[in-house]
Amino acid sequence: MTFLTARDIRELAADIGLRPTKQKGQNFVIDPNTVRSIVTAAGLEENSNVVEIGPGLGSLTLGLLEAGHRVTAVEIDELLAQKLPSTVARFAGSDAPFQLVNADALRVTTLPEPQHTTEPADDRPDVANQPDALVANLPYNVAVPVLLHFLETFPSLTTVLVMVQLEVAERLAAAPGSRTYGVPSVKAQWYGDVQLAGKIGKNVFWPAPNIDSGLVRIDVTRTDRDPAVRSRLFTLIDAAFAQRRKTLRAALSGWAGSPQRSEDLLTAAGIDPKTRGEALTVADFQRLAAVAVDAGGASNGDAAAPAPPAEDPSP
């Protein structure tokens, strides 16, 4: 199997008249060694069932296929989705265990069963697919929402290896007490162990972005997936960081119903009301959410949370 080179990428783009746009976060990997590094960092078991988001022109797709994995690729761009099956057939063979779903990843709730064909998945019956790995070069503009959506939607995932903007990678893997620890950190770490798995320079992409990228690996360990529990917890997390410069007593006053009730719940959970959200671990947030439920629930516990602050955007 041949990996895509910079020349291949540009030729494939020219074939379909593609001009990469920042609005769609289109930066294509043109270095075969980088693709090999990503696949190696994923550390997948042989013949893993992989979902890839935003395959673009197919660099990482071919790398995953070359490593012996089955790949379901989710691509929102219709032009790219039309081209990718023929690229896979040309470089990996027509019998490659690959299928394509032309859809917005944020709206995907099921995946068709992997099949050894390059026929578009939209043309086959929709049989449930339970992927065990997510490996992707995520578009920068939707990286965190897409990652959290797939972790929520596909509990079968045990391994995640994604390439994102370096700043976002550092946030996802940040430890409590650090300046970069925030909403994405806590939510991702609720699902499992999150680690920064490497840094990727700008020059391995076409077009080259203005910033470096980072690899984030998540070993998913979360088994209890009660949607109501997760919703209450994530609402609490959003509230704690919406005004991250304030103490939790003040920041959670809206969530709890009043500053005094906020203080009472924090104290009952063994958390200093004067501390800030960035000091709390995932376990601390879980304990506080449980205390609120036992005490009769926070007044806004099931309501929509405030938008995350500027320090913790979902890119």
Side-chain angles (χ1 to χ4, degrees):
M1 183 181 297
T2 303
F3 284 77
L4 296 181
T5 64
R7 179 177 178 178
D8 293 327
I9 291 292
R10 290 185 173 90
E11 287 180 351
L12 290 169
D15 286 346
I16 57 177
L18 174 69
R19 293 184 178 180
T21 65
K22 290 183 178 180
Q23 289 82 0
K24 294 182 179 180
Q26 293 175 328
N27 300 95
F28 304 110
V29 179
I30 58 175
D31 176 44
N33 288 329
T34 298
V35 172
R36 293 186 181 95
S37 296
I38 295 171
V39 175
T40 299
L44 303 181
E45 295 184 3
E46 186 177 355
N47 194 34
S48 289
N49 179 14
V50 182
V51 59
E52 180 189 7
I53 301 167
L57 290 166
S59 296
L60 182 54
T61 309
L62 293 174
L64 291 165
L65 291 170
E66 193 274 340
H69 305 305
R70 293 165 288 154
V71 179
T72 298
V74 180
E75 176 58 61
I76 189 173
D77 188 290
E78 188 171 348
L79 195 63
L80 291 169
Q82 290 174 348
K83 181 64 177 177
L84 187 55
S86 63
T87 300
V88 170
R90 173 185 167 190
F91 288 91
S94 58
D95 60 345
F98 163 82
Q99 64 179 349
L100 175 71
V101 176
N102 183 195
D104 181 350
L106 283 170
R107 296 179 179 274
V108 169
T109 56
T110 60
L111 294 170
E113 189 66 23
Q115 297 192 23
H116 293 256
T117 177
T118 55
E119 179 186 358
D122 294 340
D123 296 338
R124 298 196 300 276
D126 188 22
V127 181
N129 177 353
Q130 298 298 319
D132 45 51
L134 165 61
V135 182
N137 172 19
L138 292 178
Y140 286 171
N141 54 345
V142 293
V144 171
V146 166
L147 173 62
L148 294 176
H149 172 68
F150 267 69
L151 284 168
E152 174 188 343
T153 305
F154 297 99
S156 57
L157 291 171
T158 58
T159 302
V160 173
L161 194 286
V162 293
M163 181 158 57
V164 296
Q165 180 180 339
L166 180 58
E167 180 183 359
V168 174
E170 291 172 340
R171 282 182 183 157
L172 288 167
S178 66
R179 182 182 59 83
T180 52
Y181 184 73
V183 172
S185 321
V186 187
K187 289 183 178 180
Q189 291 169 32
W190 181 75
Y191 288 101
D193 181 49
V194 183
Q195 298 291 333
L196 186 63
K199 298 181 180 180
I200 306 294
K202 310 169 189 175
N203 295 331
V204 301
F205 296 96
W206 174 76
N210 296 323
I211 49 180
D212 289 335
S213 300
L215 295 177
V216 174
R217 180 185 173 91
I218 304 176
D219 293 307
V220 182
T221 57
R222 174 65 55 188
T223 55
D224 49 321
R225 298 293 190 95
D226 186 324
V229 171
R230 187 198 66 250
S231 178
R232 286 193 294 267
L233 177 65
F234 282 16
T235 296
L236 167 60
I237 293 167
D238 287 336
F241 287 99
Q243 303 176 78
R244 67 180 296 153
R245 291 180 178 84
K246 292 188 175 183
T247 65
L248 283 172
R249 182 185 190 276
L252 295 179
S253 61
W255 168 80
S258 71
Q260 184 57 54
R261 190 159 189 273
S262 172
E263 179 175 339
D264 292 343
L265 292 173
L266 286 160
T267 301
I271 299 169
D272 183 352
K274 296 186 180 67
T275 195
R276 292 177 172 80
E278 63 204 47
L280 270 57
T281 65
V282 173
D284 291 332
F285 278 109
Q286 289 181 289
R287 191 169 65 255
L288 178 56
V291 165
V293 171
D294 291 342
S299 66
N300 294 326
D302 295 320
E311 291 93 338
D312 293 299
S314 295

